[in-house]
Amino acid sequence: MSKLLIVGTVAFDAIETPFGKTDKILGGAATYIGLSASNFNVPMAIVSVIGDDFPENDIQMLKDRNIDVSSLEVVKGGKTFFWSGRYHNDMNSRDTLDTQLNVLENFSPVVPQNFKNAEVVMLGNLHPLVQLSVIQQMEVRPKLIVLDTMNFWMDVALDDLKKTIAEVDVITINDEEARQLSGEYSLVKAARIITKMGPKYVVIKKGEHGAFLFYEEQVFFAPALPLEEVFDPTGAGDTFAGGFTGYLASTDDYSFKNMKKAIIHGSNLASFCVEKFGTERMQGLTNTEINQRLRQFKELTQFEIELA
């Protein structure tokens, strides 16, 4: 079993979907990643920053999931990062209504000493130079560095992003971002171009349509489980990343064969995340539910066919 270091936002969200709306609730990439990865019982720590307006009971909830929050910096008199958004009827597109960086604006992550030898590093969506600074603080090269990013950084910090991409093993982005980063519409061609930037593996997420894993000339596809209702897609990609890295850290096996299993675990956990607003569904998730849905994934994809 390997240590997992998670760097990203711990935040407040206010969300509006066709199913309703929320006031400020718990959110942030690191929060979703940590809650998802905690289902694999790996030693893990979150590096992030919050204001002193952040509820103590939410910090305790993370501790209760065996997540080390000793490097969760609390800024006295500061306000926690806040994002507000409204989803369209198709639940695949959204409008950002408000973004308040607050304490995140001057965030400089400090990796805790006992995690500077972490075998797995999950870099949640942040400025690429902030992500790079984390890699540079590691005492030994991690066995696996996974980076998540978004089109915003491609627009405003592309050169910095490419520097960081060159240092990682896996990049996870959605199909729109893969096309923007590569300049190619075909996802196969896009993955090939992104691989030349540095990462060995490229994960391209397609939301309700599943996820691709590209490695050299090999491709694996995991479907998303068809759900009757999707209440809130916020955090689904981060939950996927948490399941992906949490499983890999728990097995200490970073082969392409095992990464295919990790994609399934990530997709499985993401399917729970969207069933309620915010992190609510992930906080109450049980191993029984996880395993039951894994069986559904297996039935969805398993078949026998006779070849001539």
Side-chain angles (χ1 to χ4, degrees), residues 89-132:
N89 286 334
D90 64 1
M91 300 293 273
N92 288 321
S93 52
R94 69 188 184 191
D95 298 320
T96 293
L97 303 179
D98 190 14
T99 301
Q100 299 173 20
L101 290 177
N102 297 330
V103 294
L104 191 66
E105 190 168 3
N106 299 308
F107 175 47
S108 181
V110 178
V111 176
Q113 188 61 43
N114 59 330
F115 273 83
K116 285 188 174 181
N117 62 348
E119 291 87 351
V120 181
V121 175
M122 178 65 226
L123 300 170
N125 178 34
L126 290 167
H127 191 290
L129 291 184
V130 174
Q131 295 173 318
L132 186 60

Side-chain angles (χ1 to χ4, degrees), residues 40-198:
F40 299 94
N41 299 312
V42 296
M44 76 177 88
I46 284 178
V47 178
S48 191
V49 62
I50 53 176
D52 58 9
D53 58 343
F54 195 81
E56 181 60 40
N57 62 320
D58 284 337
I59 296 176
Q60 187 58 50
M61 181 273 296
L62 295 172
K63 290 179 180 177
D64 291 343
R65 300 297 292 254
N66 295 317
I67 300 171
D68 185 333
V69 293
S70 59
S71 292
L72 184 58
E73 180 187 351
V74 182
V75 178
K76 294 273 180 69
K79 289 186 175 182
T80 302
F81 174 66
F82 172 72
W83 176 83
S84 174
R86 180 192 297 121
Y87 285 88
H88 298 180
N89 286 334
D90 64 1
M91 300 293 273
N92 288 321
S93 52
R94 69 188 184 191
D95 298 320
T96 293
L97 303 179
D98 190 14
T99 301
Q100 299 173 20
L101 290 177
N102 297 330
V103 294
L104 191 66
E105 190 168 3
N106 299 308
F107 175 47
S108 181
V110 178
V111 176
Q113 188 61 43
N114 59 330
F115 273 83
K116 285 188 174 181
N117 62 348
E119 291 87 351
V120 181
V121 175
M122 178 65 226
L123 300 170
N125 178 34
L126 290 167
H127 191 290
L129 291 184
V130 174
Q131 295 173 318
L132 186 60
S133 75
V134 172
I135 299 172
Q136 293 168 340
Q137 290 179 58
M138 304 304 291
E139 289 181 346
V140 292
R141 165 77 192 188
K143 293 180 180 177
L144 194 76
I145 302 175
V146 183
L147 175 140
D148 186 34
T149 191
M150 66 184 298
N151 48 13
F152 176 75
W153 303 120
M154 298 172 200
D155 292 334
V156 304
L158 182 59
D159 289 342
D160 293 333
L161 179 58
K162 286 183 175 179
K163 282 181 198 171
T164 308
I165 289 174
E167 300 296 326
V168 308
D169 303 295
V170 183
I171 181 171
T172 68
I173 48 180
N174 67 30
D175 47 355
E176 178 189 354
E177 292 157 351
R179 289 176 172 128
Q180 180 175 343
L181 183 59
S182 66
E184 287 284 354
Y185 185 82
S186 160
L187 295 181
V188 175
K189 289 181 180 178
R192 192 173 295 135
I193 288 172
I194 295 168
T195 299
K196 289 178 182 176
M197 297 179 186

Side-chain angles (χ1 to χ4, degrees), residues 227-240:
L227 299 171
E228 287 189 17
E229 292 181 316
V230 174
F231 274 83
D232 175 19
T234 310
D238 296 314
T239 302
F240 171 90

